[in-house]
Amino acid sequence: MAPLAKPQTDNTQTPQFNHWSEGVPEQSDIAHIPGDAGWPVVGDTFKQLADPHGFTQARIEKYGKVYKTYAFGGWNVALIGADANELVLFNRDKIFSSEQGWGPVLDQLFPRGLMLLDFDHHRIDRRALSIAFKPGPMRHYSGALNSGISREVAKWEGPMKFYPAIKELTLDLAADSFLGIPWGPEADRINTAFVDMVQASVAPIRKPLPFTKMKRGVDGRAYLVDFLTKETERRRAQGGGQDMFSQFATATREDGEMLPVDQVVDHMNFLMMAAHDTITSSATALIYQLATNPEWQEKVREEIMTVTGGPDGYDEARPLDYDDMGKLELTEMAFKEALRMIPPVPSMPRRALKDFEFGGYKIPAGQMVGINIYWTHHSEEYWENPHTFDPMRFTPDKVKARHKYAWVPFGGGAHMCLGLHFAYMQVKVLMAQLLQRYRIESVEGYSPEWQAWPIPQPKDGLQVSFKRI
Ligand code: HEM
C-alpha cells in the first residue's frame, strides 16, 4: 500500500475566513451585481425550491449570466455557463472554497468529508482514500456487484416502480462493497441510520428538535459513528476484508502512521452519502431513457449480448467481467447522455476566499457563489436539440470538439468525483443483468415529472415494466 503524506499547514493557502458565517460582504459590496431580493424576508427561497430550472432561466433572461439572488437566508451570486464552470471547478488561483460552500448544507451531518476540506489537507486525504479505487479493490467490488445485482434483478419481472427498488438495492450493495457487511438485519439497521442522516442534511429545520428529521439524522449519525469507530478498531486488530472501509481503516501515511480513527469514520460516512442518491438518481434516469427510446435500448442490449456472450443456458444472464467493463462503449455513452439530461448534482456551491472578476463584474471575497450544471447541460450554446436523448454526442470526436466544462456531472478539478469509476461500474453491471433478461417498457408517451431538488427523482417512482425476453 502506498505511504501517504501527512497534512502540512501552508500559510499562503490559509483562508481569510475560518467559517462561512464570518466576513459575509455587505449588501453595498454587491450592489453593482444585477439581481433583486425577491419577497421580503424569505427572498426567492420558495420560488427556487418550486421550480429551480425555470427560476434560473428567467433570471438569466432578465439579468444575464452573472446575477445575485437572496435565498436560504443569504445572498448568492450565480455564475452561469461552461467558462464559469471551468473557473470555479478548475480553481487555478485557489479562489474558491468547497468547504465553506458546502458547509451550510453538509457540515452538521457529514463534517470533514472530502468536499468539506480544501487545498493541502484535501489533497492529502484524497490521496489516502484513492487506494480504495485502485484496480485490485475495484475488481473485488465488481464481483460483489455482479452477484448482488443478479440475485435481486432476477425477481424484477413485471410492472414496478424502479426508483424505490434501485434505491434499496444500492443500499444493500453498499453495505456489502463499502462496509463488508453481509445483507441482513445489521445492514438494515445501518441503512436506516444512514437514510435518516441523508434526509436530515436537506431538512428545512436545522436544529435537532424532538420529532424532526434533523433529530433523527443526528441520532443516525451517533449510531453510525459508534459502529464505524468500533469497526475501525476491530479491523485494525484483526485485519479487514477487501471492502472500501477496510481499505481506509488500514491506510497509512508516509511515516507509517494510520489515519486517525475519527477521520476514517468521517470519510466513510461522507463517501456513503456521496455515492448513494447519485447512483440511484442516475441509474433511474438511464432506465427512463431506455424505456422511452426502445431503439437505443436495443442497441445497448446488442452490445451487452456481444460482450458478455448472453445467457448461457444455465443462467439467465452472464456476469459482466471486470476486464470487459471498457468494452461497453455504447452503454457508457448512453449513461453519459442520461447524466447530461438529468445530472444528479444540478448545481455546486463555493465560497470566494479572494476578490475575483467574472463576466465583467467584480465579486468580493467572502461571497457565496454557485455554478449551474443543469443549465449548461441543456444550453443550445453547447448542445444541438438539447432535449433529445442522443448517446452519439459522446463519441471521442464530438467530445473533443466541445468546451471541456460543458458536461460536468462529476464536477472537475481537485474535487472531481472520486467514485465516478465505481458509478460507471455499478450502472454497467446493472444494465448487463437487466438487458440480458428483460425488455424495459413504459406506456406510450410516458413522461414523468421529476422532483428537481436536492437530487432528482421521478415523482411517480418511475413506472416501468420488465418483460422477459
Ligand atoms: C453517477 C453518480 C455520481 C455522480 C453524478 C457524482 C457527482 C459528484 C460531484 C458533482 C462531485 C463534486 C462536487 C463538487 O465539486 O462540489 C462529487 C464528489 C465526490 N463523489 Fe461523487 N458522484 C457520483 C457517485 C459517487 C460514488 C459512487 C462515490 C463513491 C463510491 C462518490 C464519491 C465522491 C466523493 C468522495 C466526492 C468528493 C471528492 C472531493 O471532494 O475530492 N461519488 N461527486
Side-chain angles (χ1 to χ4, degrees):
M1 196 175 300
L4 308 163
K6 208 169 191 170
Q8 308 261 321
T9 310
D10 174 352
N11 289 333
T12 58
Q13 293 175 359
T14 305
Q16 292 153 326
F17 318 104
N18 292 318
H19 194 263
W20 64 83
S21 56
E22 286 174 16
V24 177
E26 296 295 326
Q27 219 174 311
S28 56
D29 298 330
I30 53 169
H32 60 289
I33 298 172
D36 59 72
W39 292 343
V41 187
V42 293
D44 282 322
T45 307
F46 296 113
K47 271 197 211 166
Q48 281 198 31
L49 287 177
D51 177 15
H53 307 319
F55 178 83
T56 301
Q57 188 55 37
R59 293 288 125 157
I60 293 169
E61 281 164 20
K62 191 164 176 191
Y63 296 119
K65 289 197 190 143
V66 178
Y67 62 87
K68 65 183 176 206
T69 52
Y70 187 84
F72 307 102
W75 285 100
N76 182 66
V77 173
L79 308 169
I80 304 290
D83 286 344
N85 297 347
E86 180 164 10
L87 173 82
V88 169
L89 294 174
F90 192 55
N91 201 12
R92 197 188 52 203
D93 298 325
K94 296 196 165 64
I95 297 169
F96 304 102
S97 163
S98 177
E99 176 186 352
Q100 296 196 26
W102 281 107
V105 188
L106 296 177
D107 196 34
Q108 209 168 340
L109 290 149
F110 299 97
R112 297 171 295 275
L114 268 191
M115 259 153 60
L116 292 139
L117 299 175
D118 284 323
F119 311 123
D120 273 2
H121 193 174
H122 167 260
R123 186 174 47 75
I124 287 163
D125 278 25
R126 184 172 162 116
R127 231 173 80 201
L129 303 192
S130 304
I131 53 160
F133 297 94
K134 296 256 181 317
M138 288 290 273
R139 189 179 289 278
H140 168 76
Y141 313 143
S142 97
L145 289 174
N146 267 296
S147 55
I149 291 175
S150 167
R151 199 163 52 226
E152 212 44 33
V153 157
K155 305 176 206 154
W156 283 3
E157 186 174 0
M160 73 181 310
K161 288 189 179 188
F162 182 78
Y163 181 83
I166 188 67
K167 193 169 168 80
E168 201 183 320
L169 174 56
T170 302
L171 276 173
D172 288 333
L173 292 169
D176 187 356
S177 294
F178 291 10
L179 296 175
I181 295 171
W183 299 22
E186 189 177 31
D188 291 345
R189 265 199 308 280
I190 290 168
N191 289 348
T192 306
F194 173 69
V195 168
D196 286 346
M197 279 170 78
V198 173
Q199 287 184 349
S201 65
V202 292
I205 300 169
R206 307 304 295 164
K207 288 212 163 70
L209 302 170
F211 310 113
T212 57
K213 279 190 180 169
M214 186 53 91
K215 172 79 171 89
R216 278 204 299 282
V218 168
D219 291 349
R221 176 172 165 82
Y223 174 82
L224 270 182
V225 166
D226 182 58
F227 170 82
L228 292 173
T229 304
K230 287 184 185 139
E231 274 294 297
T232 307
E233 280 152 6
R234 189 183 70 74
R235 290 179 200 206
R236 284 183 173 180
Q238 298 170 6
Q242 285 191 291
D243 55 278
M244 266 182 218
F245 179 40
S246 298
Q247 309 278 323
F248 296 169
T250 50
T252 53
R253 291 201 172 117
E254 248 168 17
D255 54 10
E257 274 179 43
M258 292 196 185
L259 287 170
V261 174
D262 60 337
Q263 287 187 22
V264 172
V265 170
D266 283 337
H267 281 311
M268 197 61 224
N269 254 336
F270 178 85
L271 185 124
M272 291 197 298
M273 184 276 294
H276 177 60
D277 278 329
T278 48
I279 291 194
T280 304
S281 176
S282 56
T284 306
L286 180 55
I287 293 292
Y288 166 52
Q289 297 299 349
L290 295 184
T292 52
N293 294 279
E295 66 294 353
W296 279 113
Q297 182 185 148
E298 208 40 59
K299 286 181 193 162
V300 171
R301 178 178 296 104
E302 261 168 40
E303 180 182 74
I304 285 171
M305 293 293 192
T306 309
V307 169
T308 60
D312 66 1
Y314 295 101
D315 288 316
E316 295 173 300
R318 273 193 234 226
L320 175 62
D321 217 68
Y322 179 70
D323 296 317
D324 287 341
M325 296 284 164
K327 295 184 189 156
L328 290 188
E329 289 175 4
L330 189 65
T331 311
E332 186 163 319
M333 291 197 289
F335 184 43
K336 286 179 169 169
E337 176 66 341
L339 286 164
R340 178 187 72 81
M341 296 188 80
I342 309 178
V345 187
S347 58
M348 295 174 212
R350 293 290 190 269
R351 188 174 190 211
L353 300 175
K354 308 174 188 171
D355 296 345
F356 72 102
E357 226 180 287
F358 182 74
Y361 295 98
K362 280 207 159 107
I363 296 153
Q367 182 57 51
M368 287 289 188
V369 300
I371 51 172
N372 194 310
I373 292 354
Y374 184 95
W375 188 89
T376 322
H377 283 190
H378 292 83
S379 166
E380 286 180 354
E381 277 177 47
Y382 317 107
W383 311 95
E384 222 173 279
N385 300 323
H387 297 283
T388 305
F389 179 75
D390 179 9
M392 298 317 278
R393 299 179 200 274
F394 291 93
T395 59
D397 286 354
K398 291 260 179 67
V399 170
K400 218 168 147 199
R402 218 168 19 238
H403 194 304
K404 256 178 112 178
Y405 286 76
W407 183 82
V408 278
F410 295 107
H415 287 277
M416 185 168 192
C417 179
L418 188 60
L420 71 96
H421 296 299
F422 187 94
Y424 281 127
M425 189 161 82
Q426 180 168 334
V427 169
K428 283 179 180 174
V429 172
L430 177 71
M431 289 305 140
Q433 290 294 333
L434 277 176
L435 293 183
Q436 287 184 72
R437 289 184 167 89
Y438 307 115
R439 203 172 309 286
I440 312 166
E441 294 181 0
S442 60
V443 293
E444 184 79 26
Y446 182 51
S447 176
E449 209 183 319
W450 285 71
Q451 179 188 309
W453 194 87
I455 290 188
Q457 66 178 84
K459 286 190 178 167
D460 68 352
L462 201 79
Q463 313 258 13
V464 289
S465 193
F466 290 109
K467 298 265 167 68
R468 277 202 191 270
I469 292 174

